[in-house]
Amino acid sequence: MKKTFPKNWQHGENEAEIYKNWETKGFFKPETVEKNSKKQETITKKITNSKSQIPNENEENPNAKDQKLEIRNLKFEILAKPFVIAMPPPNVTGRLHIGHALGTTLQDLMTRYHRLQGQSALYVPGMDHAGIATQSVVDKYLRKQNINKNEIGREKFVAEVWKWKEQYGGTILEQLRALGASCDWSREKFTLDEEMSAAVRKAFVHLYEKNLIYCGEYIVNWCPKCGTAIADDEVEHQTQKAKLYFFKYDKNFPITIATTRPETKLGDVAVAVNPSDERYKKFVGQSFDVEIDGIKRKIKVIADRTVDQKFGTGAVGLTPAHSMIDWRIAEENNLPKIKVIDEHGRLVNVGEKYSGLKVLEAREKLVEYLSSENLLEKTEEIENNLAICYRCGGAIEPLPSLQWFVKMKPLAVAAKEAVSSGKIKIIPKRFEKVYFHWLDNIRDWCISRQLWWGQQIPVFYKKQEFEIKDQRSKIKNLENISDLGNLSNLDEKDIFVGETMPAGGDWVQDEDVLDTWFSSALWPFSTLGWPNESSPDLEKYFPTTVMETGYDILFFWVARMIMMSLELTGEIPFETVYLHGLVRDEKNRKMSKSLGNILDPLDLIAKYGTDALRMALVVGSTPGQDLAVGEGKIKGFRNFTNKIWNASRFVALRVTDGDLQSGELGEFRIKNSELRIMEGELSEADKKILASHEKVKASVKNHLDKFQFSLAGEELYEYFWHQFCDEYIEVAKTQLDGLPLRGTTQSDSEKIATPDGLAMTENTKKILLKILSESLIMLHPFVPFVTEAVWQELRQFTPDLAESIMIAEWPQLR
């Protein structure tokens, strides 16, 4: 039966089927590759041969020691740690974006490359529950249906979020498959799976028992819009134009202060000046009774070296309850803290006139009062940074709140040493300085969130002793707690921190949940079975090999994974951190709805194919640098996938039409270095392409081993398209037809008809197949679908090829 090779590559008709076949046959499972690894078979044979050559220990042989060492090294090569990469779990908040596509492509490229090296390669998939983000999205969704989460209650709301997760979680998994992610889906994890929740509880209890987790009242970043505290790293800053107001509290106060937030001055307890400022030295240490629109306060003048004499008047009103800096100064000077803004962004403790007003309303009313009393001296327009929530974009209010914290400085010491010692390598290296700077200036991590969706804090209180006043079971709302502070003021019998609710008695669990990043910090080892230390996956695949993620979450996630892993497992979580940049449009602008330049990965895949998108994302990408991508670039690489198909079709139909047996090709492909080619059987073009091919093999492997993915992709693109297709295939057509070669003499042309000339024709066929098959393998991590499709077509003619290109052997150097 005559073999066929379709004329065109149709990505839309083939990619899903190819992926399904890979998944069905288990090629994504590391166990499948281990079983089929020719590299490991080869090493085993080498061990057997080497053993047979070792003489009896009684015989003298100076090489015996070296031969035993060689066997030990070969055994180590077989048993060497596999390649493992854990997918940064996407949030279950909707569709994946182009940034996810870049990360997934790079992670999959590395996995496929190491799999082709004969390594056991595991790519662990999963998703993150994304507390604030997911709760916010579902809340908005329900509101559109006139459903208020507070009316339906926590249990029903959480049930609605689970429905959302099932719907959009499934969508995300299909998107990852469309991108070609060769994950072992049998090991898929979700951060709220029971085994993952058990790991979180174990981690919390461990840290608490080591006095690394505590509960206390501190000033936190509060998002009134999301209704929860957020960590320092989750605060973004937005430049804005603002007014700087110069005024006195009342006519009897001798100092003019300047502020951009007059409404917070209703909670001032002191004025701070620089100790070297001659203007205010005589006032330092004095206290003044002031009255601001009927609100009486005692203001003390204190000295603090951090006060900038040149800003405003050089005198700063201190509102400890609503400023991180003021809180520190208040602690150092034993000043009271008066809370004047609540969790809803409204004023409290300020008398009837201002009570209940929103922040901006109160500001307007207070400025009117100051102006009418001639206390407002002037205003100036300035530029300052507004602190906003990274999730909703709402303004942050620093508020005093009783929250759970992790002590970070003790954990930071080991995390810093892991990188400085070289145990963990960060790519690009310049980000090590950024990493160290953050660790050197680290603050305690607020891990509690006032949400319903997430990992509930494993702390329990005696219900009869601590009756809940409202929907939040914060300690300050438990009836017997009159003062704020850490848990030392609670009787031990009335509080329990543990992995499960204690037996006996009527206990209630703290209703707050943990920051999403807490569970994510355990991801590299919790996904492999921790805290079960006898877990086969944990034993075999941990520590992992690479963590690939965006540079923008170096602090959010990477540093915390390192700290948690070192503390909880005693091991580094990964050997290398590869940081990719943000994806921008072709004009290098950030992608946004307002600019209309957002690229949807699925739309692009439908139009140009996954391979074209992957190449466009890899070529030009540099670690730590943003990447410009436009539809024109993707279209160009769609042409490249077509070139691969057309060149492969030519080779298959011209070369393997029954005159080159599959056994010969298989022998040639696997043992190309053992080919016996008689002198005179190779043309200059043959010699040139074979020499170039060896150089490319060495260079591409070197680039990939050094994480230089763009350079490897560019080199393969140039080599395959221009040297192989444009140059060698054109010459090969002539050599195969037995026609005179362009630029040759008559004697060279006549040689084609001689026995030597026939040998040259036969060698041309072999060379075409060698270059094509090995190029396909090298291209596979970049363009997995078209290379697999071509591979299967070639297997019609040469069935000795591996069952799938995924489990083929990486081309060996001669």
Side-chain angles (χ1 to χ4, degrees):
M1 183 176 177
K2 189 173 178 63
K3 306 292 192 297
T4 62
F5 198 119
K7 189 174 182 181
N8 299 308
W9 163 237
Q10 302 290 343
H11 68 266
E13 298 174 10
N14 293 282
E15 287 181 353
E17 189 61 33
I18 289 170
Y19 192 94
K20 183 180 178 182
N21 187 59
W22 284 332
E23 195 172 352
T24 301
K25 294 191 174 178
F27 292 143
F28 299 156
K29 294 176 178 289
E31 295 85 357
T32 303
V33 179
E34 289 165 12
K35 184 179 178 181
N36 290 286
S37 175
K38 291 182 179 178
K39 180 179 180 181
Q40 294 193 18
E41 287 177 16
T42 303
I43 295 170
T44 304
K45 287 178 182 176
K46 283 182 182 178
I47 290 175
T48 304
N49 293 336
S50 297
K51 276 183 176 177
S52 65
Q53 294 170 17
I54 295 179
N56 188 293
E57 288 185 4
N58 296 325
E59 296 179 30
E60 281 212 21
N61 181 358
N63 296 321
K65 194 173 184 180
D66 291 338
Q67 287 173 326
K68 286 181 179 179
L69 182 62
E70 180 187 1
I71 288 177
R72 192 191 76 179
N73 291 338
L74 288 168
K75 284 182 177 178
F76 179 77
E77 192 173 349
I78 273 187
L79 300 172
K81 190 178 184 310
F83 178 83
V84 187
I85 190 166
M87 173 187 292
N91 296 344
V92 288
T93 50
R95 294 163 68 87
L96 298 181
H97 54 67
I98 197 73
H100 289 120
L102 171 61
T104 302
T105 296
L106 292 172
Q107 294 150 29
D108 185 61
L109 186 157
M110 287 185 260
T111 306
R112 289 179 185 270
Y113 169 64
H114 286 277
R115 192 182 284 124
L116 289 166
Q117 295 288 320
Q119 279 184 269
S120 172
L122 173 60
Y123 184 9
V124 182
M127 290 183 294
D128 196 310
H129 65 279
I132 295 176
T134 305
Q135 178 159 319
S136 177
V137 168
V138 177
D139 189 22
K140 287 178 184 176
Y141 167 74
L142 293 176
R143 284 181 182 277
K144 288 180 181 178
Q145 302 176 57
N146 296 317
I147 299 174
N148 186 304
K149 73 178 179 67
N150 294 319
E151 292 175 0
I152 64 174
R154 181 172 189 156
E155 187 177 339
K156 289 184 178 179
F157 177 76
V158 169
E160 289 293 334
V161 185
W162 275 109
K163 288 180 188 176
W164 178 277
K165 182 265 176 185
E166 292 307 315
Q167 178 182 349
Y168 285 97
T171 300
I172 289 170
L173 297 183
E174 289 310 309
Q175 290 174 317
L176 290 169
R177 285 177 165 88
L179 286 165
S182 56
C183 306
D184 182 353
W185 295 106
S186 69
R187 289 178 164 94
E188 178 200 339
K189 302 295 180 183
F190 178 54
T191 49
L192 287 183
D193 287 343
E194 177 47 39
E195 62 267 34
M196 303 293 282
S197 297
V200 168
R201 295 191 293 269
K202 181 77 172 180
F204 186 97
V205 173
H206 170 92
L207 295 169
Y208 179 79
E209 290 176 347
K210 287 196 68 175
N211 199 31
L212 290 170
I213 279 183
Y214 65 94
C215 184
E217 186 207 18
Y218 290 88
I219 190 161
V220 297
N221 303 295
W222 185 271
C223 176
K225 198 171 179 180
C226 293
T228 182
I230 64 174
D232 294 340
D233 304 325
E234 297 170 322
V235 177
E236 294 180 348
H237 292 90
Q238 180 177 288
T239 302
Q240 65 166 5
K241 287 186 177 180
K243 280 186 179 180
L244 185 63
Y245 300 87
F246 294 74
F247 64 89
K248 291 180 178 179
Y249 297 111
D250 65 21
K251 293 175 182 177
N252 298 318
F253 193 73
I255 300 173
T256 299
I257 63 169
T259 181
T260 57
R261 301 198 66 191
E263 69 282 358
T264 63
K265 301 299 100 184
L266 297 174
D268 278 7
V269 296
V271 167
V273 297
N274 194 292
S276 62
D277 196 328
E278 294 293 337
R279 294 173 293 177
Y280 306 119
K281 273 189 176 181
K282 63 181 179 182
F283 299 117
V284 173
Q286 295 185 41
S287 293
F288 298 85
D289 291 319
V290 303
E291 186 172 337
I292 312 169
D293 203 5
I295 302 164
K296 294 180 179 181
R297 300 291 187 222
K298 184 176 284 295
I299 303 294
K300 184 178 181 179
V301 181
I302 65 169
D304 190 278
R305 294 185 181 280
T306 63
V307 175
D308 183 356
Q309 299 179 56
K310 295 179 181 178
F311 179 78
T313 65
V316 181
L318 296 184
T319 321
H322 302 287
S323 164
M324 302 284 186
I325 296 172
D326 295 3
W327 180 279
R328 175 190 61 77
I329 298 174
E331 290 280 291
E332 292 172 359
N333 290 273
N334 196 29
L335 297 171
K337 307 175 184 79
I338 302 173
K339 182 177 179 180
V340 294
I341 299 173
D342 70 6
E343 287 79 2
H344 303 291
R346 294 181 180 273
L347 269 69
V348 292
N349 304 319
V350 288
E352 188 177 337
K353 184 175 179 180
Y354 292 92
S355 184
L357 294 180
K358 290 182 179 179
V359 166
L360 295 180
E361 292 171 343
R363 182 181 304 173
E364 185 179 344
K365 183 166 283 194
L366 181 59
V367 170
E368 284 177 8
Y369 164 77
L370 294 170
S371 182
S372 67
E373 294 294 316
N374 294 318
L375 296 170
L376 182 65
E377 296 180 1
K378 64 175 180 175
T379 62
E380 289 180 1
E381 271 210 359
I382 63 167
E383 260 194 6
N384 69 352
N385 288 322
L386 176 68
I388 61 173
C389 174
Y390 83 118
R391 286 295 184 192
C392 71
I396 292 298
E397 287 290 351
L399 298 177
S401 181
L402 198 67
Q403 303 285 346
W404 290 93
F405 295 83
V406 174
K407 294 179 182 176
M408 299 298 274
K409 286 189 177 179
L411 299 174
V413 174
K416 189 174 179 180
E417 191 276 335
V419 173
S420 62
S421 66
K423 293 175 188 173
I424 297 176
K425 179 182 178 183
I426 297 179
I427 301 174
K429 188 174 177 61
R430 70 177 186 276
F431 274 91
E432 288 184 7
K433 289 183 179 179
V434 183
Y435 174 83
F436 293 143
H437 176 77
W438 184 73
L439 291 179
D440 288 339
N441 296 277
I442 201 165
R443 296 175 55 183
D444 287 355
W445 172 19
C446 176
I447 56 170
S448 46
R449 297 290 182 270
Q450 290 65 57
L451 303 170
W452 288 349
W453 174 248
Q455 301 278 4
Q456 200 165 343
I457 291 175
V459 176
F460 306 87
Y461 314 103
K462 275 285 184 72
K463 192 171 183 181
Q464 63 269 33
E465 297 294 331
F466 304 107
E467 192 171 327
I468 300 172
K469 281 187 177 179
D470 60 17
Q471 292 179 350
R472 289 174 52 216
S473 82
K474 293 302 300 171
I475 296 171
K476 67 180 179 182
N477 290 328
L478 300 174
E479 203 163 291
N480 274 27
I481 305 301
S482 57
D483 61 321
L484 300 178
N486 59 36
L487 294 177
S488 61
N489 56 50
L490 291 173
D491 192 312
E492 280 187 23
K493 67 182 176 61
D494 297 324
I495 181 169
F496 176 79
V497 177
E499 296 174 50
T500 58
M501 185 178 288
D506 196 1
W507 295 85
V508 61
Q509 186 171 359
D510 193 317
E511 289 192 3
D512 282 0
V513 301
L514 288 164
D515 178 11
T516 300
W517 296 107
F518 189 92
S519 53
S520 297
L522 316 180
W523 188 252
F525 47 96
S526 62
T527 53
L528 297 174
W530 186 89
N532 177 11
E533 293 183 2
S534 62
S535 162
D537 277 4
L538 189 68
E539 186 178 331
K540 183 173 183 179
Y541 298 119
F542 186 77
T544 63
T545 313
V546 177
M547 172 49 62
E548 193 287 331
T549 190
Y551 66 70
D552 54 330
I553 54 174
L554 178 60
F555 312 135
F556 280 122
W557 193 37
V558 176
R560 289 171 179 166
M561 283 189 284
I562 295 171
M563 286 187 273
M564 288 295 193
S565 181
L566 290 169
E567 172 61 29
L568 297 171
T569 74
E571 301 266 12
I572 57 172
F574 28 71
E575 297 163 8
T576 302
V577 177
Y578 182 97
L579 301 172
H580 69 248
L582 305 177
V583 182
R584 298 180 176 271
D585 72 7
E586 51 208 341
K587 295 179 181 177
N588 210 34
R589 299 175 301 178
K590 189 175 180 178
M591 293 188 182
S592 67
K593 290 181 181 179
S594 60
L595 291 174
N597 61 351
I598 291 177
L599 295 176
D600 186 309
L602 291 191
D603 291 344
L604 296 169
I605 287 171
K607 196 170 183 180
Y608 301 109
T610 299
D611 294 329
L613 175 61
R614 286 171 64 116
M615 278 295 280
L617 290 171
V618 173
V619 173
S621 74
T622 306
Q625 296 287 344
D626 292 349
L627 171 69
V629 175
E631 217 168 318
K633 183 179 181 183
I634 301 167
K635 184 178 180 180
F637 284 113
R638 192 266 311 273
N639 296 339
F640 179 56
T641 61
N642 289 338
K643 189 76 172 180
I644 294 171
W645 183 266
N646 294 335
S648 302
R649 185 171 187 270
F650 165 79
V651 172
L653 296 180
R654 287 294 302 269
V655 172
T656 60
D657 194 18
D659 57 354
L660 184 64
Q661 298 302 311
S662 62
E664 293 178 62
L665 173 63
E667 194 72 12
F668 174 75
R669 187 181 62 80
I670 296 169
K671 299 182 180 179
N672 57 75
S673 61
E674 299 176 13
L675 264 182
R676 294 181 178 83
I677 300 174
M678 299 297 292
E679 194 68 33
E681 294 177 3
L682 296 177
S683 69
E684 289 303 313
D686 295 337
K687 294 174 184 176
K688 181 181 177 182
I689 194 67
L690 287 171
S692 294
H693 188 65
E694 290 303 311
K695 287 180 182 177
V696 168
K697 283 196 296 187
S699 180
V700 167
K701 188 176 189 308
N702 181 56
H703 286 320
L704 292 175
D705 288 340
K706 292 181 177 179
F707 298 89
Q708 297 167 338
F709 307 122
S710 178
L711 292 177
E714 290 169 40
E715 187 160 1
L716 284 169
Y717 175 90
E718 291 295 325
Y719 167 69
F720 189 87
W721 190 308
H722 300 297
Q723 289 183 261
F724 180 53
C725 295
D726 292 353
E727 294 179 19
Y728 186 71
I729 284 183
E730 291 307 309
V731 173
K733 289 176 182 178
T734 305
Q735 292 182 176
L736 289 172
D737 289 341
L739 299 174
L741 301 174
R742 285 194 298 273
T744 60
T745 64
Q746 182 62 33
S747 60
D748 289 329
S749 303
E750 289 170 353
K751 190 177 180 182
I752 297 293
T754 68
D756 282 349
L758 294 175
M760 181 187 290
T761 300
E762 189 71 6
N763 278 331
T764 300
K765 295 177 180 180
K766 291 182 177 181
I767 290 167
L768 283 169
L769 286 165
K770 170 185 171 63
I771 301 296
L772 176 62
S773 61
E774 293 189 350
S775 294
L776 288 172
I777 294 170
M778 290 189 288
L779 282 163
H780 178 70
F782 299 85
V783 285
F785 289 103
V786 69
T787 51
E788 178 67 73
V790 168
W791 193 265
Q792 294 306 323
E793 294 297 338
L794 289 177
R795 289 187 72 229
Q796 291 185 87
F797 308 96
T798 56
D800 285 350
L801 292 175
E803 182 182 0
S804 167
I805 196 170
M806 277 189 65
I807 56 172
E809 183 181 358
W810 187 266
Q812 300 300 307
L813 295 173
R814 296 177 90 177

